[in-house]
Amino acid sequence: MPTGNDQYRVNQILRVAKLYYELHLSQIEIARREHLSKSTVSRLIKAALDMGMVQIAIVEPKHSFTAVEDALTARFGLKKATVLPDVVGNRDILRRDICAALAEDLGRVVANGSVVGVAWGNTMSTLGKVLSKTDRQGVSVIQLNGGLSKALYETGTAAVVRDFVDAAGQVADRALDARVVATPLATIRRIPNKLVAAAGTEKAAAVLACLRGGMADYLYIDKPLAAEILRLDAAKNNQKTKKRR
């Protein structure tokens, strides 16, 4: 049970937080009103944050990269492409933004009774942190080796793609592939909803191979990665055109 002093301090922290965040008084104004020093007000505001009385959420405005998204959708036959900006140049934040966009669509893709295969890696770990509760029933979640899944595709382990899938998205080494316990590419291509999430231009070759191989239906990537994918694809097509000549 909190003591009287404890309750007084909690009330004081709450009162100062409301004055600061809801009434938008400055710390100096609060100090004068509450007969406190400015440093004490600052400590009380921090305490409100530390105690979870105040929760700050940044609502990012919708960015329009329609032209790039349309180009990706048309070129690779996607159901949807979502391209996000790299706002602060921080990979963790970028990955979280991408996963949040995927999580927003996941509820519309996964129905009652669905079987969802999940991969492993940094992106999958981040996605788990941003997923919200759902009322879907009878959904089974399974782990798939190799990073390919029914509803999610982890491109963070690009070595998996390079080792087993070539630039065209086909099996690169059939002898090696036969020794790997993983879902066959032919089976993956038949899955109706394959979601791909990736961040960073170093994933361009891996994601492009996935797209060319028909292993994605929904794509969630950042703007620099999208530009690099389209550049690599255009360069490859130009090489083919020159060879025909």
Side-chain angles (χ1 to χ4, degrees):
M1 293 289 292
T3 65
N5 288 337
D6 290 338
Q7 190 60 56
Y8 173 80
R9 177 168 172 76
V10 169
N11 290 342
Q12 185 182 45
I13 293 171
L14 180 61
R15 185 168 61 253
V16 168
K18 283 181 170 292
L19 291 172
Y20 187 71
Y21 287 105
E22 294 183 355
L23 295 183
H24 306 294
L25 298 183
S26 69
Q27 293 187 24
I28 293 177
E29 289 172 326
I30 296 172
R32 290 171 179 167
R33 175 170 173 162
E34 297 296 309
H35 305 291
L36 301 169
S37 67
K38 184 176 178 296
S39 61
T40 298
V41 171
S42 179
R43 286 196 297 272
L44 292 173
I45 291 171
K46 183 179 183 302
L49 288 167
D50 294 340
M51 295 171 66
M53 292 182 181
V54 177
Q55 296 182 348
I56 299 175
I58 300 174
V59 180
E60 184 177 334
K62 295 294 182 181
H63 295 268
S64 179
F65 296 123
T66 304
V68 178
E69 292 169 343
D70 289 347
L72 289 166
T73 301
R75 173 66 185 88
F76 300 107
L78 299 171
K79 295 179 181 178
K80 180 180 180 180
T82 300
V83 177
L84 299 171
D86 187 359
V87 178
V88 296
N90 181 284
R91 182 56 57 84
D92 291 335
I93 292 176
L94 177 60
R95 188 182 296 116
R96 186 185 63 195
D97 290 345
I98 289 171
C99 287
L102 188 154
E104 189 175 326
D105 287 345
L106 197 58
R108 293 188 285 272
V109 174
V110 177
N112 291 337
S114 292
V115 177
V116 179
V118 299
W120 48 265
N122 290 330
T123 303
M124 188 66 239
S125 176
T126 302
L127 179 61
K129 296 175 183 177
V130 300
L131 283 175
S132 57
K133 291 184 178 180
T134 177
D135 58 358
R136 296 291 184 271
Q137 298 180 350
V139 176
S140 300
V141 180
I142 61 175
Q143 175 72 44
L144 297 180
N145 189 32
L148 295 166
S149 68
K150 174 180 179 181
L152 305 172
Y153 173 80
E154 168 61 72
T155 56
T157 50
V160 172
V161 177
R162 288 198 299 267
D163 289 344
F164 303 104
V165 180
D166 61 21
Q170 306 301 318
V171 175
D173 187 326
R174 294 193 177 279
L176 178 62
D177 186 70
R179 298 198 300 269
V180 176
V181 179
T183 306
L185 294 185
T187 300
I188 289 171
R189 292 188 181 100
R190 291 196 298 269
I191 294 170
N193 294 308
K194 301 175 288 294
L195 280 67
V196 175
T201 55
E202 70 276 10
K203 311 290 178 58
V207 178
L208 180 55
C210 170
L211 294 172
R212 286 176 172 167
M215 292 176 283
D217 299 298
Y218 298 80
L219 180 64
Y220 303 85
I221 56 177
D222 56 272
K223 176 62 164 55
L225 175 55
E228 182 63 9
I229 289 171
L230 291 172
R231 187 193 69 79
L232 290 176
D233 185 60
K236 185 67 174 179
N237 291 336
N238 289 337
Q239 288 178 0
K240 290 181 180 179
T241 301
K242 291 179 180 179
K243 287 181 180 180
R244 293 194 190 101
R245 294 175 181 175

